Amino acid sequence: MNPRSLCAIVLALALPALGQTEPQIEPLVPPGSAPAKTKKKSRKPPSSGAAQAEGQLSLPPLAPLTAPRPLKAVGVLVQGALPDDAAARVREGLRTAASFAPGVKETLALEAPQPCAGIAGNADHVAVASWDTGTLRVRLVDVGLRKVVQEAQRTGVSPDPVEATAWTEALGCKVMVPAGCSGQVMVEADFGISLELDGEPLRPGEKRLVPVGVHALRIKEGTSESLRELPVLLEGTPAVSIASSRPTAPAPTAAPVAAVTASPSPPPAKRTWTRTAGYAAAGAAVLAAGAGAYFGAKSKSDLDKAESGYRANGGAYQPADLQALQSGNSAAHTANALYIVSGVLLAAGAVLTFAF
């Protein structure tokens, strides 16, 4: 596809007079014409085909529907009056949604007002997100067919970066991912606070997989309750912490039920098992050293026995002496191996005990 054709398509979407109106359809019956009157020639009832032909024009045959082209390389463009930080985040969210579409191998970030810079004709589809006075619209343009093949919109979307990104990912998945997209949400809450997510009970600290978008989080504390919006993204959904704001002493006016703040994920707990593992490794090192000492003593005894027999027989080994010599050499090898294992275990035990 010529890059100029892609430029024309994307820039046409940016114009206020976007071709959203349907083309005018010619009437099947010409104006001013009246159904022709038929004369009765016989009492035989006319066939269904003949009856259908009388009084109306014949319709052209229906053209077969063409299947949509598969997505391979998708360009991403953001339009509208979003702030720069929100527009940048919306662009990345739409690009993430496009990467989840079946068959997509490449996503391209396009910049307005020159969306064609750097495309080089690689994109077969373009996903366009536009925001105007609270209305967010996502359209999928087929570059080869030069038309919008899928479109979805949402009203009442604020320009907040997180909320706008969540709704953009939801609409992008709607037009590009048939199976839909989900994100993980987790809400921490103080004791005495109960939670409901979209009308379903949610335990504090529970990880739940829900469709991307903005969900309703209901917070109940005692006899009071409040409702908050909870954005859920495909990637990087921030953990949410809810702290009780109930005053310790009675106040003249009611305080807010709870405050919802985004907080980073808690750091992983320190691994206390390392000290126990270090002690176990040190104990195993001692046992290996003891076994090595035993086999070392056995090796010395067998070798001394073989040497004594060699001298007593005038410089010749008897079968019993050869067997003792072989046993002594084998015990010596075993003792050396056990000493090495003991050293390795002792070093590992020291690292696990003192380094962690």
Side-chain angles (χ1 to χ4, degrees):
M1 171 58 62
N2 192 330
R4 294 184 177 179
S5 300
L6 180 56
C7 294
I9 295 172
V10 178
L11 291 177
L13 291 174
L15 296 177
L18 174 67
Q20 297 295 331
T21 59
E22 297 293 335
Q24 297 295 329
I25 301 177
E26 296 278 341
L28 295 180
V29 181
S33 63
K37 296 183 180 181
T38 58
K39 296 181 179 181
K40 296 182 180 180
K41 294 184 179 180
S42 63
R43 296 182 180 180
K44 183 179 179 181
S47 60
S48 59
Q52 183 178 4
E54 294 179 356
Q56 62 181 8
L57 299 178
S58 60
L59 297 176
L62 294 177
L65 296 176
T66 58
R69 296 197 309 157
L71 304 179
K72 294 181 181 179
V74 179
V76 173
L77 177 65
V78 177
Q79 302 172 347
L82 284 172
D84 293 341
D85 57 341
R89 189 156 185 176
V90 164
R91 182 186 300 106
E92 290 304 316
L94 187 58
R95 192 171 182 179
T96 302
S99 66
F100 278 80
V104 172
K105 298 180 180 179
E106 183 182 9
T107 57
L108 308 170
L110 311 181
E111 295 288 344
Q114 296 179 350
C116 304
I119 291 182
N122 291 332
D124 52 71
H125 289 78
V126 176
V128 183
S130 58
W131 184 90
D132 185 19
T133 61
T135 300
L136 178 66
R137 179 181 291 109
V138 174
R139 289 159 290 178
L140 183 63
V141 182
D142 190 316
V143 177
L145 300 178
R146 302 187 181 185
K147 69 175 183 179
V148 176
V149 293
Q150 292 289 344
E151 181 176 357
Q153 70 177 19
R154 175 83 186 186
T155 58
V157 178
S158 74
D160 176 73
V162 179
E163 180 180 344
T165 303
W167 280 126
T168 300
E169 290 184 357
L171 297 180
C173 290
K174 184 176 181 180
V175 301
M176 290 183 288
V177 186
C181 302
S182 300
Q184 183 173 271
V185 62
M186 183 181 71
V187 181
E188 297 286 356
D190 288 346
F191 179 78
I193 296 178
S194 60
L195 307 172
E196 288 184 2
L197 185 64
D198 297 332
E200 297 292 334
L202 179 68
R203 297 189 306 272
E206 175 188 356
K207 294 182 179 180
R208 182 175 296 182
L209 203 63
V210 296
V212 294
V214 180
H215 296 261
L217 178 66
R218 187 175 297 276
I219 307 162
K220 296 182 180 180
E221 186 179 14
T223 58
S224 303
E225 66 178 46
S226 63
L227 190 64
R228 299 288 187 271
E229 292 183 342
L230 183 62
V232 179
L233 308 174
L234 281 168
E235 298 176 354
T237 300
V240 176
S241 175
I242 301 177
S244 174
S245 60
R246 182 176 296 237
T248 55
T253 57
V257 177
V260 180
T261 57
S263 60
S265 301
K270 188 176 180 180
R271 296 179 294 176
T272 57
W273 57 267
T274 54
R275 188 178 298 274
T276 303
Y279 291 152
V286 173
L287 294 178
Y294 165 77
F295 281 101
K298 185 177 183 305
S299 171
K300 186 177 185 305
S301 175
D302 291 342
L303 293 177
D304 289 345
K305 181 180 177 181
E307 184 67 19
S308 298
Y310 177 80
R311 293 176 180 177
N313 295 326
Y317 286 111
Q318 297 294 326
D321 299 332
L322 293 174
Q323 185 176 1
L325 182 64
Q326 184 179 4
S327 176
N329 291 330
S330 177
H333 291 312
T334 304
N336 292 334
L338 287 173
Y339 286 142
I340 295 174
V341 172
S342 175
V344 172
L345 289 174
L346 186 61
V351 171
L352 291 172
T353 303
F354 299 106
F356 295 95

